[in-house]
Amino acid sequence: PEAASPMPLRIVGGKFRGHKINYHGDPVTRPMKHRVREAIFNLVGPAVEQLHAIDLFAGTGALGLEALSRGAQSATFVERHFPTATTIQSNIDQLNVAPQSKIATSDVFVWSRKRLDFPPDPWLVLCAPPYDLFVSATDKMIQLVTAWVEIAAPGSQIVVESDNRFDHTKLPL
């Protein structure tokens, strides 16, 4: 049987609300559902306007683009899969947010160990990796989130998405 075509992705709030973003349909990327993105940004609220978004495991870039749509100062997208990073760049260009955007085509674990040069403003760290990483690399994921908690600028917010196979009480949040 033929694979189902990917669902269209849209920005759910802010100045780009309703704008379609590109998604290539490759199973290597699992876009976050619209209602989950909306819930996250409802929780963050208007504070997003003071934040620099860091979209780890960026995939389509939907989380970072959603943050920019809602007024984030800037966004960094970290994605190791080159074709997917190209899709993120296409989405950035389509929304004309290149001046506020940076793509790091790198493995999140490697990139996160580098000296990161971010604005002193608080950050919104968005961590929505493939769910299997929480099973196959549990310790590595806990170390990653712990490191971000330790280096985040004061006033930062960190959002982690996983499925029910991961025990969130293991996180330092």
Side-chain angles (χ1 to χ4, degrees):
E2 269 184 55
S5 61
M7 296 292 295
L9 295 178
R10 295 183 187 274
I11 301 294
V12 290
K15 66 184 176 184
F16 302 127
R17 181 184 180 138
H19 280 70
K20 290 181 185 177
I21 57 174
N22 298 317
Y23 168 49
H24 49 65
D26 189 322
V28 76
T29 303
R30 175 199 42 84
M32 184 181 283
K33 293 178 178 168
H34 292 80
R35 66 180 180 270
V36 176
R37 272 190 283 131
E38 186 170 24
I40 287 170
F41 285 96
N42 285 343
L43 288 170
V44 173
V48 73
E49 295 176 12
Q50 310 304 317
L51 305 174
H52 170 74
I54 303 166
D55 190 350
L56 304 175
F57 307 96
T60 61
L63 286 172
L65 294 169
E66 191 76 50
L68 289 171
S69 178
R70 293 170 186 250
Q73 299 297 309
S74 55
T76 299
F77 302 84
V78 186
E79 176 56 53
R80 72 177 184 168
H81 186 246
F82 285 98
T84 303
T86 301
T87 300
I88 295 169
Q89 185 63 58
S90 170
N91 289 330
I92 288 169
D93 293 344
Q94 178 181 316
L95 296 175
N96 294 315
V97 292
Q100 305 106 279
S101 303
K102 178 181 178 183
I103 298 176
T105 308
S106 180
D107 178 272
V108 167
F109 299 103
V110 173
W111 182 83
S112 294
R113 287 192 300 261
K114 296 178 183 176
R115 177 151 174 77
L116 304 173
D117 185 25
F118 292 125
D121 303 323
W123 311 336
L124 172 60
V125 181
L126 302 156
C127 182
Y131 293 152
D132 284 343
L133 277 179
F134 284 104
V135 176
S136 66
T138 303
D139 291 342
K140 205 171 173 181
M141 286 303 302
I142 292 169
Q143 290 167 3
L144 176 73
V145 174
T146 300
W148 280 96
V149 168
E150 291 171 356
I151 67 168
S156 294
Q157 297 186 42
I158 299 176
V159 176
V160 179
E161 183 198 27
S162 73
D163 65 10
N164 61 4
R165 294 177 292 165
F166 179 70
D167 178 4
H168 283 91
T169 64
K170 293 181 178 182
L171 294 174
L173 304 173

